[in-house]
């Protein structure tokens, strides 16, 4: 269903969790130390004293060694493998000045929430957290901001002025979509295609969305991006999308149509569970098949504790 309202706790103000303020995005910087402790940070002599939580490969070949569990299959050296009779993989030195892109879905379909904040707000905060992490790692951070109608592109840079400009645009869009009269085309295909044709070097890409309306064209574009970049699909969801509401009768309105539904029957609850589980599993299987990582983010839980980057 499509909602523009959020159930507000008595302990919060009327605007808490409905849009992401500039202060909310700047505040995400304080969670960086917790992310660094949670992840296996790697260092490299060639990169200087840089500690990267974005664990990944660089562009410069360092050595060829026997393939081990957990190694990226894309790095297998097939010539050496054929010659030796065992599987060998390429090892790349860590790359500094990496490009990190976020494709941020702030379309009106992300305006849903029953606890703490809307999905659009959680998505905006995640983008800010990745922006701060990129700055800390000496990486260049860029963003493609989709509002359901058009995509704003911010080219990757490594300076705080650019980051503040991105935060301002994200905050403004987060507020603007609250008053959008139309849903329009709530699909990130165009944003992904813009990135596909503009990206010039190996990069890290984070696509933050609920992926409810992802099209086959968008999937194909993601597959093309995984061949050149390390891609993370960050699926944002609300508590009530995963777990059905308590037993009882509920009123809902969608596109002017009103209905009352009863959540008491076990058959309803089973169908409710299975619908969300199927959607999630389909996206997880897609990512697993094509070599990108899928990360689940629930809006009512601390975001930094869920953002696990391998």
């Amino acid at each position: 269903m499509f909602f523009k309202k959020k159930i507000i706790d008595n302990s919060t103000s009327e605007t808490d969790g409905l849009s992401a303020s500039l202060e909310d995005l700047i505040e995400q910087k304080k969670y960086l130390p917790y992310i660094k402790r949670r992840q296996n940070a790697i260092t490299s002599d060639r990169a200087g004293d840089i500690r990267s939580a974005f664990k990944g490969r660089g562009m410069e070949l360092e050595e060829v060694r026997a393939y081990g569990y957990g190694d990226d299959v894309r790095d297998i050296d097939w010539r050496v493998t054929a010659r030796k009779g065992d599987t060998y993989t390429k090892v790349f030195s860590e790359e500094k000045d990496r490009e990190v892109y976020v494709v941020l879905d702030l379309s009106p379909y992300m305006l849903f929430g029953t606890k703490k904040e809307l999905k659009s707000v959680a998505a905006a905060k995640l983008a800010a957290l990745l922006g701060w992490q990129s700055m800390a790692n000496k990486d260049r951070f860029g963003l493609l901001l989709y509002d359901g109608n058009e995509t704003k592109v911010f080219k990757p840079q490594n300076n705080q002025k650019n980051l503040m400009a991105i935060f301002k645009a994200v905050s403004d869009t987060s507020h603007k979509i609250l008053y959008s009269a139309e849903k329009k085309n709530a699909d990130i295909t165009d944003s992904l295609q813009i990135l596909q044709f503009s990206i010039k070097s190996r990069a890290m890409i984070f696509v933050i969305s609920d992926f409810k309306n992802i099209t086959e064209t968008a999937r194909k574009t993601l597959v093309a991006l995984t061949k050149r970049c390390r891609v993370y699909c960050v699926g944002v969801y609300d508590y009530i999308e995963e777990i059905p509401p308590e037993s009882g009768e509920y009123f809902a309105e969608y596109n002017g149509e009103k209905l009352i539904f009863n959540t008491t029957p076990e058959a309803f609850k089973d169908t409710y569970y299975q619908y969300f589980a199927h959607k999630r599993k389909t996206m997880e299987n897609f990512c697993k098949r094509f070599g990108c990582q899928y990360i689940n983010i629930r809006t009512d839980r601390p975001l930094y504790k869920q953002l696990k980057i391998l």
Side-chain angles (χ1 to χ4, degrees), residues 156-191:
Q157 297 182 42
N158 181 249
N159 62 74
Q160 191 157 319
K161 181 179 179 181
N162 180 63
L163 194 62
M164 290 302 105
I166 290 175
F167 287 177
K168 179 66 164 58
V170 169
S171 177
D172 290 346
T173 301
S174 174
H175 181 74
K176 183 188 72 174
I177 60 173
L178 286 173
Y179 306 98
S180 299
E182 301 178 30
K183 289 174 287 184
K184 299 185 179 179
N185 177 30
D187 173 63
I188 56 174
T189 301
D190 290 345
S191 301

Side-chain angles (χ1 to χ4, degrees), residues 27-303:
E27 186 184 42
Q28 300 309 304
K29 185 178 182 180
K30 71 181 183 182
Y31 297 113
L32 291 186
Y34 301 100
I35 290 182
K36 288 181 179 180
R37 283 200 289 267
R38 286 180 57 81
Q39 303 185 60
N40 295 324
I42 57 177
T43 58
S44 168
D45 292 335
R46 303 185 186 194
D49 187 20
I50 296 175
R51 194 169 278 269
S52 177
F54 293 157
K55 184 178 178 182
R57 58 184 163 186
M59 294 296 290
E60 186 175 345
L61 180 64
E62 192 168 86
E63 64 173 324
V64 176
R65 60 164 171 77
Y67 181 85
Y69 177 79
D71 287 339
D72 195 330
V73 295
R74 294 175 295 179
D75 291 336
I76 292 176
D77 191 322
W78 296 108
R79 290 184 179 181
V80 176
T81 296
R83 188 169 67 249
K84 297 280 190 178
D86 290 318
T87 307
Y88 280 78
T89 185
K90 300 173 184 176
V91 178
F92 296 87
S93 60
E94 183 187 353
E95 178 185 8
K96 63 179 179 178
D97 195 28
R98 186 198 305 272
E99 288 187 347
V100 177
Y101 290 88
V102 166
V103 178
L104 178 58
D105 181 2
L106 288 189
S107 63
Y109 275 105
M110 294 288 284
L111 291 175
F112 181 87
T114 59
K115 287 192 173 185
K116 188 179 178 182
E117 59 195 17
L118 300 180
K119 291 191 290 186
S120 58
V121 176
K125 289 180 178 179
L126 285 166
L129 189 54
L130 290 166
W132 284 120
Q133 186 70 77
S134 300
M135 286 283 293
N137 293 338
K138 305 292 191 288
D139 295 324
R140 286 176 288 152
F141 181 74
L143 182 132
L144 289 86
L145 176 59
Y146 181 65
D147 65 0
N149 183 35
E150 62 180 359
T151 300
K152 294 180 180 179
V153 180
F154 296 86
K155 294 183 178 180
Q157 297 182 42
N158 181 249
N159 62 74
Q160 191 157 319
K161 181 179 179 181
N162 180 63
L163 194 62
M164 290 302 105
I166 290 175
F167 287 177
K168 179 66 164 58
V170 169
S171 177
D172 290 346
T173 301
S174 174
H175 181 74
K176 183 188 72 174
I177 60 173
L178 286 173
Y179 306 98
S180 299
E182 301 178 30
K183 289 174 287 184
K184 299 185 179 179
N185 177 30
D187 173 63
I188 56 174
T189 301
D190 290 345
S191 301
L192 293 173
Q193 289 180 333
I194 290 172
L195 183 58
Q196 179 188 9
F197 294 116
S198 62
I199 198 167
K200 295 181 180 180
S201 62
R202 184 173 297 281
M204 295 190 71
I205 300 172
F206 295 86
V207 184
I208 306 177
S209 175
D210 61 4
F211 298 104
K212 279 193 170 182
N213 300 288
I214 187 169
T215 65
E216 188 60 30
T217 303
R219 291 178 189 272
K220 290 179 179 179
T221 308
L222 278 172
V223 172
L225 287 169
T226 60
K227 294 178 180 179
R228 302 165 56 192
C229 309
R230 186 174 292 274
V231 178
Y232 294 83
C233 292
V234 184
V236 181
Y237 70 99
D238 183 79
Y239 167 88
I240 208 169
E241 292 180 287
E242 181 180 32
I243 301 172
E246 295 180 2
S247 298
E249 290 188 342
Y250 292 83
F251 171 82
E253 182 176 350
Y254 178 72
N255 280 349
E257 296 184 10
K258 301 177 181 179
L259 62 90
I260 296 175
F261 60 94
N262 191 340
T263 64
T264 304
E266 288 300 318
F268 174 89
K269 294 178 180 178
D270 290 342
T271 302
Y272 197 105
Y273 278 118
Q274 291 170 12
Y275 178 81
F276 181 82
H278 174 72
K279 286 272 189 180
R280 172 188 285 176
K281 193 64 177 177
T282 299
M283 196 64 197
E284 288 177 344
N285 289 341
F286 166 81
C287 289
K288 185 176 180 181
R289 179 182 177 188
F290 293 104
C292 54
Q293 185 183 350
Y294 188 73
I295 305 173
N296 284 305
I297 301 289
R298 206 171 92 176
T299 58
D300 62 319
R301 294 172 175 167
L303 302 178

